[in-house]
């Protein structure tokens, strides 16, 4: 009986050890990257810099979470390669216990709706012509269209502390909550209503009011604090508004961070990513990653 109890105890302790090992291996790292705009070369460079992928373009981030805040298309020629990369990384991340979060940008919405004013001739040629490109973006039958329709949301809150959207959130949209915003966006896509308010107002795909501090610094910070309170988050992360400095934009004590640094060659081929480390005490350490190194923001 004593021997049986010992074996049971060993087995139980072994199970506990396995559980502890798994817990200690759990990721606490989030990396966010802004607008890529069909620049595959720059996308690879930024993701390698942020230790999301290796030199072959494969996922090496384990159980990390990678958030891309939209506008992967237009202004460049590498649309096919960029979306294939994102598709591949979603699968590889999932297999490793990590995650890739993709958000809708205004340029995804424009391409789904047939607004091609920013598509380059080189990009169209890469598909084999305008008809083939249009077919690829069809939400029912096209490989890019189906991918975006099925896998992209309009906003996301990571682990209760950080709000992500392509453009700046507004109080009116925040009051609807992220679930309703995502539902409205998907219904509008399903109905092919690309002029619905969720896509056209000062909201999560077009708004630049916060990044540009259009109401002034003090009022902008008040709006940001209001949105944070409504959604219960500590900070807001947006792309969309390109920073000519090539550096991430921080406002209101890092309550707002803009991560469109002009990654694409069209905007200067700048390289930056945002990293959030979740600490054991419930706080987060937020840093900007540049080719020159990491800069702690908060």
């Amino acid at each position: 009986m004593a021997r049986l109890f010992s074996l049971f105890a060993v087995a139980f302790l072994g199970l506990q050890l396995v559980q502890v090992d798994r817990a200690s291996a759990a990721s606490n790292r989030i990396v966010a990257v802004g607008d890529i705009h069909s620049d595959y070369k720059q996308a690879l460079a930024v993701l390698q810099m942020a230790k999301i992928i290796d030199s072959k373009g494969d996922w090496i981030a384990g159980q990390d979470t990678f958030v891309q805040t939209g506008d992967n298309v237009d202004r460049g020629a590498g649309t096919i390669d960029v979306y294939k990369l994102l598709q591949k990384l979603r699968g590889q991340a999932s297999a490793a216990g990590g995650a890739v979060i993709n958000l809708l940008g205004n340029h995804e919405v424009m391409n789904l709706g047939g607004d091609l004013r920013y598509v380059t001739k080189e990009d169209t040629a890469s598909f084999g012509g305008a008809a083939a490109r249009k077919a690829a973006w069809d939400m029912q039958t096209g490989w890019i269209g189906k991918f975006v329709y099925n896998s992209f949301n309009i906003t996301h809150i990571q682990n209760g502390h950080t709000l992500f959207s392509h453009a700046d959130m507004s109080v009116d949209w925040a009051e609807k909550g992220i679930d309703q915003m995502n539902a409205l966006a998907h219904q509008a896509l399903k109905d092919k209503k690309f002029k619905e308010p969720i896509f056209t107002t000062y909201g999560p795909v077009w708004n630049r009011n916060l990044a540009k501090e259009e109401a002034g610094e003090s009022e902008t910070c008040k709006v940001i604090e209001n949105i944070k309170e409504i959604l219960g988050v500590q900070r807001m992360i947006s792309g969309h508004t390109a920073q000519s400095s090539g550096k991430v934009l921080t406002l209101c004590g890092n309550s707002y961070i803009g991560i469109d640094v002009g990654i694409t060659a069209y905007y200067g081929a700048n390289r930056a990513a945002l990293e959030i480390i979740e600490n054991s005490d419930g706080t987060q350490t937020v840093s900007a990653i540049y080719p020159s190194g990491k800069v702690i923001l908060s």
Side-chain angles (χ1 to χ4, degrees):
M1 177 67 72
R3 184 171 181 272
L4 180 61
F5 177 81
S6 296
L7 289 172
F8 176 80
V10 169
F12 177 76
L13 288 173
L15 177 60
Q16 294 293 355
L17 286 173
V18 169
Q19 290 177 331
V20 170
D21 288 343
R22 286 175 178 170
S24 64
S27 173
N28 64 345
R29 180 176 184 255
I30 302 112
V31 171
V33 171
D35 306 36
I36 291 171
H37 281 303
S38 298
D39 195 324
Y40 180 61
K41 179 181 177 181
Q42 279 290 98
L44 292 177
V46 169
L47 294 182
Q48 288 175 31
M49 179 188 73
K51 295 181 172 55
I52 294 295
I53 63 173
D54 61 17
S55 60
K56 297 180 180 179
D58 290 318
W59 180 266
I60 57 168
Q63 294 178 317
D64 292 352
T65 298
F66 165 48
V67 182
Q68 201 290 318
T69 56
D71 276 10
N72 296 288
V73 64
D74 288 343
R75 304 194 188 281
T79 298
I80 291 173
D81 288 336
V82 168
Y83 283 99
K84 282 186 175 179
L85 174 65
L86 292 174
Q87 280 187 321
K88 179 181 73 170
L89 292 181
R90 286 180 71 93
Q92 290 180 339
S94 179
V100 174
I101 307 296
N102 293 112
L103 299 183
L104 282 166
N106 58 299
H107 284 267
E108 271 87 16
V109 176
M110 290 166 70
N111 275 261
L112 290 172
D115 183 343
L116 310 180
R117 76 185 91 164
Y118 297 107
V119 177
T120 66
K121 294 178 180 179
E122 294 81 5
D123 190 63
T124 299
S126 74
F127 283 85
R133 192 182 189 283
K134 180 180 179 181
W137 277 91
D138 187 281
M139 287 182 288
Q140 281 71 50
T141 59
W143 72 272
I144 297 180
K146 287 193 297 184
F147 174 46
V148 172
Y149 176 74
N150 291 320
S151 303
F152 286 45
N153 273 320
I154 204 164
T155 188
H156 171 75
I157 293 178
Q158 180 68 25
N159 295 346
H161 54 69
T162 303
L163 170 72
F164 293 93
S165 55
H166 173 65
D168 295 346
M169 192 58 64
S170 67
V171 171
D172 289 345
W173 282 109
E175 287 176 340
K176 296 182 183 299
I178 64 167
D179 290 339
Q180 185 176 357
M181 282 187 278
N182 287 329
L184 286 169
H186 279 281
Q187 188 63 50
L189 291 180
K190 182 179 180 181
D191 295 340
K192 297 184 178 181
K193 294 182 177 180
F194 303 103
K195 300 299 183 181
E196 286 293 278
I198 189 69
F199 294 143
T200 58
T201 62
Y202 286 113
V205 296
W206 278 107
N207 191 13
R208 302 184 197 271
N209 289 354
L210 303 180
K212 292 182 175 292
E213 296 185 289
E214 292 186 357
E217 180 180 355
S218 178
E219 287 302 314
T220 296
C221 289
K222 288 179 182 179
V223 172
I224 289 170
E225 288 302 314
N226 194 359
I227 293 169
K228 286 168 55 183
E229 183 177 356
I230 291 168
L231 294 175
V233 297
Q234 297 176 36
R235 66 190 63 83
M236 303 158 56
I237 312 296
S238 297
H240 189 54
T241 304
Q243 301 302 307
S244 59
S245 66
K247 306 295 183 181
V248 301
L249 171 69
T250 61
L251 299 175
C252 310
N254 297 308
S255 288
Y256 174 98
I257 303 175
I259 61 170
D260 181 359
V261 298
I263 289 174
T264 174
Y266 182 90
Y267 283 124
N270 302 303
R271 297 176 185 176
L274 191 76
E275 178 188 73
I276 302 173
I277 300 294
E278 296 174 325
N279 304 312
S280 59
D281 63 359
T283 63
Q284 300 90 43
T285 300
V286 183
S287 303
I289 304 173
Y290 300 111
S292 59
K294 188 182 298 186
V295 177
I296 295 178
L297 303 177
S298 64

